[in-house]
Amino acid sequence: MGVLGAQERIYYSRQVTDTNIMSNNYSKHITLTSHPSGNQNPVDIEWGAKTATERGPVVATPAGSDLRNSIGSYSGSYSVYRALAIAAGKLDPLHKPDLTNTAPAIQFGPFEQWTDPAKIVSIDPWGHMVGQVFSDHIANGTDVRPTIAVTRARLSVPEMVSGINGVSLVPDGVVLMETGEVNVIKIAIEPVWYLPGIADRFGTDEHSLRRSLFEQTGGMFSELVTRPDLKVFLPPIGGITAYVFGEISAITDPARKLSCRVHDECNGSDVFGSDICTCRPYLVHGIEDAIETAQSGGAGLIVYNRKEGRALGEVTKFLVYNARKRQTGGDTAENYFERTECVAGVQDMRFQELMPDVLNWLGITRIDRFVSMSNMKYDAILEQGIEIGERIPIPEDLIPPDARVEMDAKKAAGYFTEGEVPTESDLTETHGRGLEEY
């Protein structure tokens, strides 16, 4: 090694120190979950119990504790980045988060739905209150971590300021500021699956569900098939972000209206404004309706699910775009769903059965204004016993020209519309631009 400069010596010293910490804190023995020892002593957990104390904490510590009662790891898909940080010597594998001052910015619940094991099966209803309700476990050394965080924020949505998309809201200084910023309560939720409840929701048995999850993730989680006693699974998938407009107490007040849009992630449109679909304009329309309802004394709710490309992924979505644009006859509404199925094997993998869990968690029993045309979302919400009043379709003037293919195909497939349902003949006439027209 050559002569090191001052900064290089500091950097090298830090790396050596990090490496020593890693070596000292790494377990010398690797425990294979495919061959459980039988010495585990998992913390008891009773899903749907009447109190948090009776329910018990979700323990998915990455430290390999015998107290683990859950399959998988905290942070969902981001647990892989944690593994990289540990491997690179940047993170102590024994680090436990300091939860000082991390409690929810807004207190709410518990609601009746929290103690019904059939109402909430894909999130931990106590996940935001870990530092409060499981403080004894934490004090005794159990690595219990939040899977939900509740904070406050202001949104800066360009459409609210510039008036595009037909937005014409009046600032009130409470929900909508003069600057165009919007006051919200912002909630981040990581998935926590109660496997027996997931199986029931999808009409299958727990054994078949566990085997499918094990096999289709390349055997990533062997405890799915070796530890039937562990009923909770933290899958490595994207979570949910919920935005509440107005007072959160209005959500459960039957005398006050609730506007709600359940939106599935579309990075291309939501963030970058791609015009092949209606995602961003419909999302913004949902935000506008949420603000108006909150300004009228009610509440607005946007639920944002990380299910990119109908839960098929962005790569598959872009492949479908190419297939649509290159097919004989061009991009037509007639073949909209067929092209997706040809590439992915299925038209849609969002399967909205789990979607209402966040609504149940918020204590919702009625949605007055449902800003969605999706028949799948509508049916899934009704199935959970939540009433829906008015359904709000996207205004026709907000549909981008190239997105007409998607919209006509969805209307013909059963999506809600206040207008005429396109006929088979109409679908053959609806065309999007070709690849050569970009």
Side-chain angles (χ1 to χ4, degrees), residues 247-267:
E247 296 179 5
I248 200 165
S249 59
I251 288 179
T252 55
D253 186 343
R256 304 163 79 178
K257 288 189 175 182
L258 173 64
S259 169
C260 175
R261 172 158 179 78
V262 177
H263 189 93
D264 292 328
E265 179 183 29
C266 177
N267 183 63

Side-chain angles (χ1 to χ4, degrees), residues 67-356:
L67 300 176
R68 284 172 56 95
N69 59 16
S70 304
I71 303 165
S73 182
Y74 296 118
S75 300
S77 58
Y78 292 97
S79 61
V80 177
Y81 289 101
R82 183 176 63 232
L84 287 176
I86 292 172
K90 303 297 183 182
L91 175 63
D92 184 346
L94 299 184
H95 170 76
K96 294 181 182 179
D98 179 355
L99 299 179
T100 304
N101 292 330
T102 63
I106 300 293
Q107 297 292 333
F108 59 93
F111 299 111
E112 184 179 346
Q113 294 95 319
W114 292 19
T115 60
D116 185 339
K119 289 291 185 183
I120 300 177
V121 300
S122 64
I123 62 179
D124 176 8
W126 304 99
H128 59 308
M129 301 171 69
V130 162
Q132 300 158 276
V133 298
F134 300 124
S135 57
D136 289 348
H137 288 270
I138 295 173
N140 290 332
T142 305
D143 187 5
V144 186
R145 307 188 184 190
T147 56
I148 300 175
V150 183
T151 188
R152 299 214 63 140
R154 285 192 181 180
L155 305 183
S156 181
V157 184
E159 287 87 340
M160 301 300 158
V161 180
S162 62
I164 61 178
N165 266 24
V167 175
S168 56
L169 297 171
V170 178
D172 61 344
V174 178
V175 180
L176 180 62
M177 304 293 103
E178 292 288 345
T179 59
E181 294 173 303
V182 187
N183 267 333
V184 296
I185 298 165
K186 186 163 62 171
I187 305 168
I189 304 171
E190 293 174 1
V192 177
W193 288 6
Y194 175 57
L195 293 172
I198 298 286
D200 287 344
R201 197 74 69 85
F202 282 90
T204 186
D205 62 89
E206 185 183 344
H207 173 76
S208 298
L209 172 66
R210 284 173 173 268
R211 176 166 180 168
S212 182
L213 288 169
F214 171 70
E215 292 179 343
Q216 297 306 313
T217 56
M220 186 183 297
F221 300 99
S222 57
E223 288 171 313
L224 286 166
V225 292
T226 64
R227 294 292 304 277
D229 59 313
L230 300 183
K231 300 296 185 181
V232 177
F233 175 43
L234 278 62
I237 59 175
I240 303 167
T241 308
Y243 297 85
V244 179
F245 301 75
E247 296 179 5
I248 200 165
S249 59
I251 288 179
T252 55
D253 186 343
R256 304 163 79 178
K257 288 189 175 182
L258 173 64
S259 169
C260 175
R261 172 158 179 78
V262 177
H263 189 93
D264 292 328
E265 179 183 29
C266 177
N267 183 63
S269 178
D270 296 341
V271 179
F272 294 100
S274 171
D275 72 343
I276 197 171
C277 61
T278 60
C279 294
R280 181 175 177 86
Y282 210 173
L283 175 59
V284 172
H285 186 62
I287 293 173
E288 179 187 14
D289 202 85
I291 293 171
E292 287 182 324
T293 305
Q295 288 180 325
S296 300
L301 173 66
I302 301 292
V303 177
Y304 194 88
N305 295 291
R306 297 296 169 80
K307 297 178 181 177
E308 179 65 60
R310 299 187 203 155
L312 300 170
E314 202 166 35
V315 169
T316 296
K317 180 165 71 172
F318 288 7
L319 294 175
V320 171
Y321 287 166
N322 284 343
R324 282 172 50 187
K325 302 296 184 181
R326 286 179 173 140
Q327 66 185 332
T328 302
D331 183 15
T332 68
E334 178 186 24
N335 297 318
Y336 175 78
F337 288 107
E338 180 183 351
R339 297 316 304 156
T340 300
E341 194 166 358
C342 287
V343 176
V346 64
Q347 293 181 2
D348 198 320
M349 285 204 303
R350 285 174 293 182
F351 302 123
Q352 301 294 347
E353 283 86 350
L354 302 180
M355 174 270 296

Side-chain angles (χ1 to χ4, degrees), residues 3-49:
V3 178
L4 296 176
Q7 292 298 319
E8 290 173 310
R9 282 197 298 273
I10 293 172
Y11 176 79
Y12 180 71
S13 174
R14 184 180 299 123
Q15 297 309 298
V16 171
T17 301
D18 290 346
T19 301
N20 289 340
I21 291 174
M22 294 294 299
S23 298
N24 293 335
N25 288 345
Y26 253 131
S27 170
K28 301 299 187 293
H29 175 70
I30 295 177
T31 301
L32 298 178
T33 57
S34 58
H35 297 78
S37 65
N39 296 323
Q40 294 85 1
N41 185 32
V43 174
D44 290 337
I45 186 167
E46 183 183 344
W47 200 266

